[in-house]
Amino acid sequence: MKTRKYIAVLSISFGLLLQGCTKLDQEFYSSVTPETFFKSEKDIMAALYRPFTHAKWYMGEDRWRLQEYTADNFAITTKGRHWYNGGENERYHYHRWTADDGWIWGSWRGTLMGVALALDAKSDLSKLDYARFALTQDDQDAHLAQLDALIAYFYLRGLDYFGGMPVFESLEEEALPRNTDVELFNHIERLLKESIERLPVKAAGDREEGAIRKAAAAAMLAQLYFNAEAYIKKPMYAEAREIAEAIINKEYGDYTLDATWNGVHGFTNNASPEIIWSMPSEFKMLEYNWFYADFYHYNTRQYFNQDMGANNGAHLTPSRKPDGTLYKDEFKLGSPYEKFTQGDYRKAPYVYHGSGRYEGMFIVGPHRTPSGAPILGGEEYKDLPLNFVDQVGRFSEVGPGKKYSSVNQLPSKMSEGEENTGVRLVKVPIPNLNDNTLRWGADMPVIRLAELYYMAAECRFRDGDAAGAAELINSVRKRNFSNGADPNPVTAQNLDKYRFLDEWSIEFLGEGRRRTDLIRWKAFTTEEWWDHTPSNSDHLNRFPVPNEAIAGNNNLTQNPGY
């Protein structure tokens, strides 16, 4: 929980009609103009941060799902009578999505709606005389720069998901065709470069409250260059490294790695020196909570000593076969839980100790209340103690007179889950009811300094400096072990493509980036993991333009292969 200048929501009816996501009409319900509507600095800040509330929504839900359920770390298995969902979850896991799938349409529409909201705010604020509100020209420049950087953020995600999108710079433009990948790349680059010049830097001790500052825009530019080979077929790792190392060296503001693994994820992470940009969250105010229902069992409320129900859908992909042997000798990707080294603080079961203190990051093994009583199942294990396993299989159907005589006969695939299937991630801490004011008190990290360390490390590795890359990664890894003694450090000898992908997975598990990392390493369509065979179809590195968007705008063209 924090006291903060909170991102406000301006109650304006936009009537934004994103039919086809390029016809951007506005319907105003009075003749109010920006010059007459704004009465105080509070009104200005509300207008400035309105598109940020959309960004907070955009960063989770369907965008997260496209990044994680299509990759090797997460799955939503069918669990008996639950979660088949018309085959939707399997389509994403097996890379058989279509241009009619809802997560894809929601992400196309949400991307361009974010651009439209930011442009609308920019149009209003650019017309104001800031001196009327005892504000300076520098204040106005910084506000407009934030909106430009936010527009760049939405387009950067759109470029990652779809490739070229319609580039519009006002809400007067209608039914635009798609710009090329290179044109969209250049537009994002220009917006970020111009924003960096006008944004303020973070001073030592400043808390992260959700505004975009100079380092955040610079980090986005580094991300653009880092993935440029995938976006525009032009490697730009040298450019990415230059920016990443400049941020590490405090040239864009005062940031340092957090001393503890959960300082960057905990209830007071707005004070973490590692956070470069985050989305604020607080109980009953812009809560960062969408994942809860998807991740946890119906009865996990008893584990947390909370009052919230859940849908028991998502879990980590399994590290073990039904017979208990590891997949690591069969697949180089996936097995996210067992990729954590034994002794890593994060690998422990999640336990809340009170007053905001907690340990561990997973729900695994026997499910018990804080007092130690077993938590019972309600489906395959109705009235029996729940035990969450790092496996997928219908173990309840093994035994005399049942479908399978031994676990060796069990298939392990998307259709074979049970209510206790899979390790569950608790990266956002959940307090008990006694500390319920802390609920959703952890902000959502969007960019943190550790990403720049890993980015610089990968760029060094690609440039032949494996020792330098290992040093950067180990500087982050060591905080996860007692006295900083890492039993499995990265070395120049053990660092290769797969160790790099493992390190990205371990540090950023569940942070909505896995698909992008796999694509950058040319692994998304070429590698296998649990219950996923490679398609070797490069067109799947991009999602299709949704049919609903094309129906609303016949100037849009479909991506190749769809």
Side-chain angles (χ1 to χ4, degrees):
M1 293 290 292
K2 311 97 177 166
T3 302
R4 68 179 70 215
K5 285 184 179 178
Y6 214 86
I7 288 181
V9 180
L10 181 61
S11 297
I12 295 178
S13 296
F14 278 93
L16 275 176
L17 235 193
L18 290 177
Q19 182 68 11
C21 293
T22 51
K23 184 176 182 180
L24 303 161
D25 300 329
Q26 287 179 287
E27 182 179 353
F28 291 94
Y29 295 93
S30 74
S31 59
V32 171
T33 64
E35 295 85 346
T36 59
F37 177 82
F38 290 89
K39 303 296 184 183
S40 67
E41 180 184 356
K42 182 178 179 181
D43 294 333
I44 290 176
M45 300 309 293
L48 172 63
Y49 286 125
R50 170 62 186 91
F52 282 79
T53 65
H54 178 78
K56 177 259 176 187
W57 163 81
Y58 179 87
M59 291 168 184
E61 303 194 29
D62 289 354
R63 272 58 54 200
W64 188 97
R65 293 169 182 135
L66 289 180
Q67 287 286 78
E68 299 289 0
Y69 295 140
T70 62
D72 60 325
N73 282 341
F74 288 86
I76 302 176
T77 52
T78 300
K79 301 172 183 66
R81 61 196 177 107
H82 298 292
W83 283 107
Y84 179 66
N85 283 15
E88 177 182 53
N89 302 316
E90 293 186 3
R91 286 199 302 278
Y92 287 107
H93 183 84
Y94 297 138
H95 292 190
R96 297 171 186 163
W97 52 75
T98 74
D100 292 313
D101 276 314
W103 297 353
I104 294 171
W105 163 237
S107 296
W108 174 278
R109 184 175 184 273
T111 299
L112 291 178
M113 182 176 285
V115 173
L117 289 168
L119 282 173
D120 187 78
K122 182 181 175 183
S123 175
D124 285 348
L125 296 185
S126 65
K127 297 171 184 174
L128 295 180
D129 177 5
Y130 267 49
R132 287 179 47 219
F133 307 94
L135 296 171
T136 68
Q137 184 63 50
D138 286 345
D139 293 326
Q140 187 172 30
D141 289 344
H143 291 171
L144 297 177
Q146 280 200 69
L147 292 168
D148 279 343
L150 188 60
I151 292 167
Y153 168 79
F154 285 118
Y155 270 137
L156 177 58
R157 299 313 311 144
L159 177 64
D160 190 275
Y161 293 135
F162 301 105
M165 300 188 78
V167 172
F168 56 95
E169 300 189 66
S170 80
L171 301 184
E172 304 302 317
E173 299 165 278
E174 297 185 2
L176 295 175
R178 297 175 69 186
N179 287 74
T180 67
D181 303 343
V182 172
E183 287 169 343
L184 181 55
F185 183 98
N186 291 340
H187 183 62
I188 297 165
E189 182 183 43
R190 177 182 64 79
L191 288 170
L192 290 172
K193 283 184 172 180
E194 292 176 357
S195 299
I196 289 168
E197 295 300 316
R198 294 175 289 150
L199 287 168
V201 300
K202 175 190 176 183
D206 282 354
R207 296 193 170 209
E208 171 53 38
E209 307 291 358
I212 296 177
R213 291 185 271 204
K214 192 178 292 287
M220 284 187 258
L221 185 59
Q223 291 170 341
L224 180 70
Y225 293 152
F226 192 48
N227 294 289
E229 187 173 13
Y231 296 158
I232 59 171
K233 297 180 172 58
K234 178 183 178 183
M236 298 184 71
Y237 296 107
E239 293 86 342
R241 174 182 173 179
E242 181 180 1
I243 298 171
E245 292 185 351
I247 294 172
I248 292 169
N249 293 329
K250 302 181 185 294
E251 294 178 28
Y252 289 94
D254 195 307
Y255 302 91
T256 57
L257 292 173
D258 205 298
T260 63
W261 74 267
N262 58 1
V264 74
H265 302 293
F267 296 105
T268 58
N269 62 345
N270 66 319
S272 172
E274 184 174 322
I275 298 289
I276 294 175
W277 184 31
S278 65
M279 286 289 112
S281 176
E282 197 163 342
F283 189 36
K284 298 183 179 179
M285 297 173 66
L286 286 179
E287 296 173 345
Y288 168 37
N289 64 1
W290 69 268
F291 57 87
Y292 183 95
D294 286 0
F295 282 17
Y296 305 127
H297 187 276
Y298 324 108
N299 295 334
T300 293
R301 63 165 73 90
Q302 300 171 45
Y303 180 82
F304 291 133
N305 188 19
Q306 267 292 350
D307 59 3
M308 299 175 288
N311 300 326
N312 197 30
H315 52 81
L316 302 189
T317 54
S319 304
R320 296 180 181 272
K321 302 175 185 179
D323 66 6
T325 58
L326 292 168
Y327 281 117
K328 66 178 182 180
D329 295 329
E330 188 172 340
F331 308 121
K332 293 181 178 179
L333 298 184
S335 301
Y337 179 71
E338 285 298 334
K339 293 292 173 65
F340 286 81
T341 302
Q342 202 63 31
D344 190 321
Y345 291 137
R346 297 167 294 183
K347 197 175 184 181
Y350 176 81
V351 178
Y352 183 71
H353 294 297
S355 301
R357 297 174 296 108
Y358 68 97
E359 64 179 279
M361 204 169 74
F362 297 104
I363 295 174
V364 60
H367 213 33
R368 301 183 184 277
T369 67
S371 66
I375 297 171
L376 307 182
E379 295 290 330
E380 292 89 355
Y381 299 96
K382 182 174 176 59
D383 299 329
L384 296 173
L386 280 173
N387 181 56
F388 285 96
V389 296
D390 194 12
Q391 298 159 288
V392 174
R394 299 284 296 172
F395 293 91
S396 62
E397 297 180 356
V398 175
K402 294 186 177 181
K403 187 174 181 179
Y404 305 102
S405 61
S406 75
V407 294
N408 294 323
Q409 296 178 333
L410 283 178
S412 184
K413 55 185 180 179
M414 286 289 288
S415 62
E416 302 300 307
E418 296 183 314
E419 63 177 313
N420 67 331
T421 288
V423 176
R424 312 303 171 94
L425 179 67
V426 191
K427 203 154 195 178
V428 180
I430 308 296
N432 59 29
L433 284 171
N434 291 333
D435 290 342
N436 213 32
T437 53
L438 293 176
R439 193 158 115 191
W440 316 128
D443 294 347
M444 177 186 181
V446 182
I447 303 172
R448 51 191 181 94
L449 188 62
E451 178 183 354
L452 282 304
Y453 270 76
Y454 279 49
M455 192 183 297
E458 186 176 318
C459 292
R460 288 189 182 191
F461 177 81
R462 290 176 182 273
D463 198 35
D465 182 11
E471 181 181 0
L472 284 167
I473 295 172
N474 288 332
S475 63
V476 179
R477 277 185 61 94
K478 65 183 181 180
R479 67 185 176 191
N480 303 303
F481 301 92
S482 178
N483 299 318
D486 182 353
N488 184 29
V490 178
T491 67
Q493 291 70 41
N494 67 24
L495 190 56
D496 61 8
K497 168 182 177 177
Y498 297 103
R499 180 67 190 253
F500 241 116
L501 282 169
D502 285 350
E503 293 304 323
W504 279 111
S505 171
I506 292 165
E507 178 62 28
F508 297 94
L509 183 65
E511 295 188 40
R513 62 172 298 129
R514 186 59 172 171
R515 169 187 157 274
T516 300
D517 291 331
L518 293 178
I519 291 173
R520 189 178 61 257
W521 280 99
K522 299 179 174 61
F524 187 60
T525 62
T526 61
E527 296 281 346
E528 61 181 343
W529 52 85
W530 171 79
D531 196 30
H532 176 90
T533 56
S535 67
N536 295 304
S537 299
D538 286 348
H539 78 278
L540 295 172
N541 287 327
R542 297 230 172 118
F543 294 110
V545 178
N547 284 335
E548 193 162 349
I550 295 173
N553 175 12
N554 58 16
N555 288 321
L556 296 177
T557 56
Q558 185 55 271
N559 276 331
Y562 292 104

